[in-house]
């Protein structure tokens, strides 16, 4: 595949992951039905979807980010790579966290809104603002960006290992030992390191596997067939690992599941079959940043005005990614026309 097709596939997958992650935050059975037998049934259905499909979203983000950072990497390109991530990761992280803090602090002073927020009156001061901005206190979903910032800062250290085969083997072996031992590192998550470093290793050692560079047409067809077979195998192993994790409650099983599931889906979707991404697919960062607020609003409003019957919360849950997308498109269009510079920052540097 050419660079244009590769970039197009990246956008499609990022957009799909942004939709999938919404299901993780859309559980609403108890909100509608209370603690009843009907609630338990809907709860299991929703978690079955969110825990299987939604759980590959954030690992997918880490893997895309890791691959892109170490794609065509060299020491000379490190300042350029870091500079790009300032606009696409750091500035949006800081601005969104500030917006959420101001919104929560202001809303907590409005009696009706305060009850919905459920945090009492939130202190409004410079110290609290700085703490909220750095530690994503009122923007819970940005734990992912916090981890990503740490991984980007660690990239030079990772590169010392990723640049050669022995280093890659050593790095990944150590990370898997830590994961199997349930060891927690300061600040950075071991599983995030595994996703990021594994994708980075592929970018350095096997970019052709990821970017579908198969040579001549005949060789490409053979390669494509093998990619599809391997994709199915990885998904089967991922499902088996998930089942094992549910039985023995070992986090490493879920790490294996998520890593292989993302890789399997990537292999199963040929870049040549993907159409050009529509404009709304490029709202993926803005959608990720806003979806939690929209989900909370739709679920709260739905519980107030819709009938409390079993089908209602399930249907609303299934529709939530598309409702959040529609709301983000409207909000994004207003910002894009009114304050285009701010909009670009809020959308991770994407115009």
């Amino acid at each position: 595949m050419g660079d244009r097709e590769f970039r197009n596939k990246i956008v499609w997958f990022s957009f799909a992951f942004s939709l999938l992650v919404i299901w993780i935050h859309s559980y609403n059975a108890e909100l509608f039905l209370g603690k009843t037998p009907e609630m338990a049934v809907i709860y299991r259905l929703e978690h079955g979807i969110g825990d299987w499909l939604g759980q590959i979203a954030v690992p997918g983000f880490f893997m895309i980010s890791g691959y892109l950072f170490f794609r065509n990497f060299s020491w000379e390109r490190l300042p350029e790579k870091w500079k790009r991530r300032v606009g696409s990761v750091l500035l949006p992280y800081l601005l969104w966290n500030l917006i959420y803090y101001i919104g929560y602090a202001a809303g907590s002073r409005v009696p009706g809104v305060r009850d919905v927020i459920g945090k009492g009156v939130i202190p409004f001061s410079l110290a609290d603002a700085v703490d909220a901005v750095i530690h994503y206190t009122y923007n819970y979903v940005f734990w992912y960006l916090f981890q990503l910032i740490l991984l980007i800062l660690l990239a030079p250290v990772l590169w010392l290992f990723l640049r050669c085969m022995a280093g890659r083997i050593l790095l990944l072996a150590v990370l898997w030992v830590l994961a199997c031992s349930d060891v927690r590192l300061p600040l950075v998550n071991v599983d995030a390191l595994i996703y990021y470093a594994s994708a980075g290793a592929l970018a350095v050692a096997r970019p052709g596997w990821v970017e579908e560079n198969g040579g001549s047409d005949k060789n490409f067809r053979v390669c494509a067939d093998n990619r599809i077979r391997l994709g199915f195998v990885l998904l089967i192993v991922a499902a088996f690992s998930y089942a094992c994790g549910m039985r023995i409650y070992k986090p490493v099983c879920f790490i294996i599941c998520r890593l292989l599931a993302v890789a399997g889906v990537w292999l199963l979707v040929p870049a040549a079959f993907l159409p050009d991404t529509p404009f709304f697919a490029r709202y993926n960062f803005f959608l990720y940043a806003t979806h939690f607020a929209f989900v909370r609003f739709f679920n709260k409003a739905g519980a107030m005005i819709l009938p409390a019957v079993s089908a209602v919360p399930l249907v609303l849950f299934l529709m939530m990614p598309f409702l959040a997308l529609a709301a983000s498109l409207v909000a994004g269009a207003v910002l894009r026309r009114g304050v285009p510079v701010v909009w670009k920052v809020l959308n991770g540097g994407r115009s």
Side-chain angles (χ1 to χ4, degrees):
M1 98 176 75
D3 189 68
R4 182 178 178 278
E5 287 183 319
F6 171 71
R7 295 288 178 178
N8 188 60
K9 186 172 181 178
I10 287 289
V11 176
W12 270 117
F13 268 68
S14 298
F15 175 62
F17 291 148
S18 296
L19 290 178
L20 289 178
V21 78
I22 295 172
W23 271 323
I24 302 175
H25 304 126
S26 299
Y27 304 132
N28 58 10
E30 186 172 349
L31 180 64
F32 275 83
L33 304 173
K35 295 184 178 181
T36 61
E38 292 81 4
M39 181 278 293
V41 174
I42 302 301
Y43 177 93
R44 285 193 295 270
L45 289 172
E46 291 181 351
H47 278 261
I49 296 170
D51 292 350
W52 176 239
L53 293 177
Q55 290 295 330
I56 71 169
V58 172
F61 287 139
F62 280 127
M63 293 175 73
I64 287 175
S65 299
Y67 187 90
L68 291 178
F69 195 95
F70 290 105
R71 185 179 187 242
N72 303 321
F73 185 83
S74 64
W75 285 118
E76 293 74 20
R77 296 196 65 190
L78 178 61
E80 170 198 345
K81 296 270 187 178
W82 268 349
K83 182 179 179 181
R84 288 182 183 176
R85 271 67 183 179
V86 168
S88 63
V89 179
L90 181 60
L91 289 181
Y93 175 83
L94 298 175
L95 183 55
W96 272 115
N97 287 344
L98 179 61
I99 290 172
Y100 269 86
Y101 168 70
I102 293 173
Y104 269 88
S108 71
R109 286 160 170 77
V110 179
V113 178
R114 183 191 308 145
D115 295 335
V116 175
I117 294 175
K119 295 181 179 294
V121 177
I122 295 170
F124 194 84
S125 68
L126 180 60
D128 288 298
V130 170
D131 180 72
V133 168
I134 294 175
H135 298 115
Y136 57 93
T137 310
Y138 301 99
N139 189 13
Y140 316 109
V141 299
F142 266 27
W143 71 267
Y144 154 70
L145 278 190
F146 179 77
Q147 289 293 309
L148 184 57
I149 290 169
L150 296 178
L151 292 170
I152 291 169
L153 292 175
L154 284 172
V157 178
L158 296 177
W159 177 244
L160 293 174
F161 295 93
L162 294 176
R163 62 193 302 186
C164 65
M165 181 181 295
R168 291 190 292 272
I169 294 173
L170 176 62
L171 173 63
L172 293 175
V174 169
L175 291 177
W176 279 111
V177 168
L178 293 176
C180 291
S181 305
D182 294 336
V183 173
R184 294 191 177 186
L185 299 177
L187 294 178
V188 67
N189 295 347
V190 173
D191 59 336
L193 269 169
I194 288 175
Y195 305 135
Y196 195 81
S198 296
L202 287 174
V204 176
R206 292 293 184 268
W209 292 5
V210 178
E211 301 184 34
E212 304 174 25
N213 298 326
S216 67
D217 289 344
K218 181 178 178 181
N219 288 335
F220 180 77
R221 286 195 295 270
V222 173
C223 181
D225 289 342
N226 289 337
R227 288 170 60 86
I228 292 173
R229 293 190 190 98
L230 179 57
F232 278 118
V233 170
L234 292 181
L235 288 181
I236 292 170
V237 177
F240 176 76
S241 181
Y242 181 84
C244 290
M246 294 298 290
R247 290 179 64 88
I248 63 177
Y249 304 106
K250 292 291 288 183
V252 69
C253 294
F254 299 113
I255 298 174
I256 295 170
C257 166
R258 293 162 187 164
L259 182 72
L260 296 185
V262 173
V265 173
W266 181 271
L267 291 172
L268 286 174
V269 180
F273 291 171
L274 293 173
D276 289 341
T277 48
F279 78 95
F280 57 78
R282 300 182 182 275
Y283 278 58
N284 60 74
F285 189 99
F286 187 78
L287 174 62
Y288 182 85
T290 57
H291 78 268
F292 190 79
F294 289 135
V295 165
R296 189 176 181 89
F297 170 77
F298 286 128
N299 272 333
K300 290 279 188 178
M304 292 174 61
I305 64 177
L306 296 175
V309 294
S310 299
V312 170
L314 181 60
V315 170
L316 185 59
F317 170 83
L318 294 173
M319 292 176 57
M320 196 62 76
F322 310 102
L323 292 173
L325 173 62
S328 72
L329 290 178
V330 173
V334 172
L335 289 169
R336 193 177 70 234
R337 292 192 182 97
V339 280
V341 175
V342 175
W343 154 253
K344 189 171 182 178
V345 176
L346 292 177
N347 198 35
R350 300 155 185 86
S351 58

